[in-house]
Structure formats: C-alpha cells, structure tokens
Amino acid sequence: MTSIFESGWTYLITNFSDFQLACLGSFLLHESVFFLSGLPFIYLERAGWLSKYKIQKKNNTTEAQDKCITRLLLYHFCVNLPVMIASYPVFRFMGMRSSLPLPSWQVMSTQILFYFIVEDFIFYWGHRILHTKWLYKHVHSVHHEYATPFGLTSEYAHPAEILFLGFATIFGPAITGPHLITLWLWMVVRVLETVEAHCGYHFPWSPSNFLPLYGGSDFHDYHHRLIYTKSGNYSSTFVYMDWLSGTDTGYRKLKALKSEEEAKYKEN
C-alpha cells in the first residue's frame, strides 16, 4: 500500500511543479471535498429524507440554496484561489516541501493536532470579535443570513471574514512548514469538520457523540438560531475555549433541560 501511495505521489511531483500542486492542486482538492461533502445535505433537505435527524424543522428555499452555491463559486475563485497563490511564497519560505520521502503518520498526526489547537484558539477570538455590533452588522451578518444552516453555508461569508478567519486555518501550517501532503490532509479534515458543523443534521454517528469536546452540528446550529449578541458557542472544532470562557452556558442549560424532559417522557 505504501509503495502504491508513494508511486502515485512520485507521478504528481514528476509531472507537476510545486507551484501547480500547492496552489492549483490545493484549490481543486478543496473544491472537490467541499462540494462533494456539502451538496448531499441540500438534496436531503429538498427531498425530506432523514428528517427525523434534522435539528430545525424549518427548510431553506430552493432560491436561497441556489444563491449560496452561486456566491460560493464567486468567493472561491475571486478570494480563495488568489489567497492560495499569494500564500505560496510564504509557505515555501517556511519550509513547505512536496518531495519524497513522505512524512510518517506520526509526524502528520502530531502536526494536525497542533493545527487544531492553534486554529481553535485563533478562530474563537476572531469569531467572538465578529459578533461585536459593528463587525456583525457590516461583515459577519452575511454568514448568518442562513439561520437554518446546511453544509455549504459553512464557507458562505463576507470576503473580509473569509480572509480574517481563514488566517486561523493557515497559521499553524504557515509556521511549521509541513510537507504538502500534510497540508492537504489538514485541509480535507478541516473542510469535512466545518461542513458537518453546518449540515443541520445530528445523526447517531455524528462525531460529537463520540469525541470529547467536539462541537459538531448541534453545538453550532444553536449559534445560528440565536440573536447575534447572545449566541455564544463561538468555537471552531473543539469547544474548550467556550467552556473556559463561559460562552456556552446557554447551550448547556438548554441541553440539560432537554435531557430532563426526555427522562420524564420515558418515565411516563
């Protein structure tokens, strides 16, 4: 398996330049993972399938969903792709490489864990700042146009916010200069996580049911439902910053009340 994997990577680095792989390759990988993981939730909502797992009863209109997709394509090509190209010299300067040998799984997993810790910390404070009155009104309100989120709304945001919070995602890799495959793996995991957090469904197999301190869809859906000044739940992937700062107390109280109601219902 390792030799097949390395052979495939050898083909890539032989036929494409570092710039092509790091910029265009990363962009194509991001678009593929993002839309392939996010589009199914649009069809689930339209068809009404698995509705018993849907967090909110309200559905988005077809027009609202189409608007999201159109804007996303515009933002991705006009903001994300130029940022990837502009960031390339920085990553090269910090030591990013694509050559063999490939890093071990131990190295990749350690680096990605570090990226999660860094991203969670920066994202929390950046997101909390975006919920101040002026920034919410002029910037962050774009993301909150969808009070009932679905997978693709995870990256629906004002261009300024894309740059602001995107910094949290790339800061860890930028300071460590990882192998390109580590960067790609981090990007895939991060995209899948944020799509899941915005999907609008809480399944029995949702990661938040198994991973301690993982936010997930139920945690973030609460954030979208409330008035901007009282929402809380600002965390990205893991929720330790909300827990330490006490900005998830409303959510915790609601969860406790629901648990009590469910327990009483079962007794009766």
Side-chain angles (χ1 to χ4, degrees), residues 68-99:
C68 178
I69 295 173
T70 302
R71 291 280 183 90
L72 281 170
L73 290 171
L74 177 66
Y75 293 155
H76 285 182
F77 279 95
C78 297
V79 180
N80 291 15
L81 181 57
V83 168
M84 286 183 179
I85 294 172
S87 302
Y88 175 72
V90 176
F91 278 90
R92 288 290 294 175
F93 177 77
M94 297 304 294
M96 185 188 74
R97 66 181 182 86
S98 61
S99 58

Side-chain angles (χ1 to χ4, degrees), residues 12-267:
L12 288 177
I13 61 177
T14 301
N15 291 277
F16 301 96
S17 67
D18 280 357
F19 175 81
Q20 290 173 323
L21 291 173
C23 298
L24 301 181
S26 297
F27 181 74
L28 290 174
L29 178 64
H30 172 273
E31 297 303 287
S32 299
V33 174
F34 178 70
F35 282 104
L36 288 175
S37 62
L39 282 172
F41 293 105
I42 284 184
Y43 298 115
L44 282 179
E45 191 173 63
R46 290 183 181 181
W49 297 337
L50 301 178
S51 57
K52 66 178 181 178
Y53 299 120
K54 198 169 186 301
I55 299 169
Q56 297 186 46
K57 300 302 180 185
K58 178 184 175 183
N59 287 330
N60 292 280
T61 64
T62 301
E63 291 75 19
Q65 293 173 335
D66 291 342
K67 174 189 173 184
C68 178
I69 295 173
T70 302
R71 291 280 183 90
L72 281 170
L73 290 171
L74 177 66
Y75 293 155
H76 285 182
F77 279 95
C78 297
V79 180
N80 291 15
L81 181 57
V83 168
M84 286 183 179
I85 294 172
S87 302
Y88 175 72
V90 176
F91 278 90
R92 288 290 294 175
F93 177 77
M94 297 304 294
M96 185 188 74
R97 66 181 182 86
S98 61
S99 58
L100 293 173
L102 297 175
S104 67
W105 282 106
Q106 291 88 341
V107 169
M108 287 194 289
S109 59
T110 301
Q111 288 184 328
I112 289 174
L113 176 62
F114 172 71
Y115 300 158
F116 269 119
I117 295 171
V118 171
E119 200 270 345
D120 280 330
F121 181 82
I122 297 175
F123 185 98
Y124 173 85
W125 289 110
H127 191 189
R128 192 168 174 178
I129 290 169
L130 283 171
H131 275 266
T132 54
K133 189 173 182 179
W134 190 91
L135 283 173
Y136 183 89
K137 179 181 179 181
H138 296 283
V139 179
H140 195 50
S141 59
V142 173
H143 181 65
H144 279 269
E145 286 179 19
Y146 294 90
T148 305
F150 52 93
L152 295 182
T153 60
S154 56
E155 295 192 5
Y156 181 89
H158 189 285
E161 179 175 346
I162 295 172
L163 296 174
F164 188 40
L165 293 182
F167 171 78
T169 302
I170 67 171
F171 183 76
I175 63 174
T176 59
H179 193 282
L180 180 59
I181 199 168
T182 305
L183 182 63
W184 280 3
L185 182 59
W186 162 240
M187 181 172 63
V188 169
V189 172
R190 182 71 182 94
V191 167
L192 293 176
E193 180 277 322
T194 192
V195 167
E196 193 274 332
H198 289 81
C199 74
Y201 291 81
H202 186 71
F203 301 110
W205 55 86
S206 294
S208 56
N209 294 330
F210 308 101
L211 298 177
L213 295 177
Y214 184 91
S217 55
D218 189 60
F219 183 88
H220 195 68
D221 200 277
Y222 174 88
H223 174 81
H224 274 262
R225 295 198 304 268
L226 267 65
I227 300 173
Y228 79 93
T229 54
K230 301 177 182 178
S231 58
N233 289 22
Y234 301 115
S235 294
S236 175
T237 305
F238 296 98
V239 301
Y240 67 92
M241 287 301 301
D242 273 298
W243 181 74
L244 291 172
S245 304
T247 46
D248 62 350
T249 53
Y251 172 73
R252 299 299 172 195
K253 288 178 181 178
L254 180 63
K255 292 283 285 183
L257 286 172
K258 285 185 176 180
S259 296
E260 289 178 9
E261 290 175 0
E262 289 174 0
K264 289 179 181 178
Y265 179 78
K266 289 178 180 179
E267 289 177 359

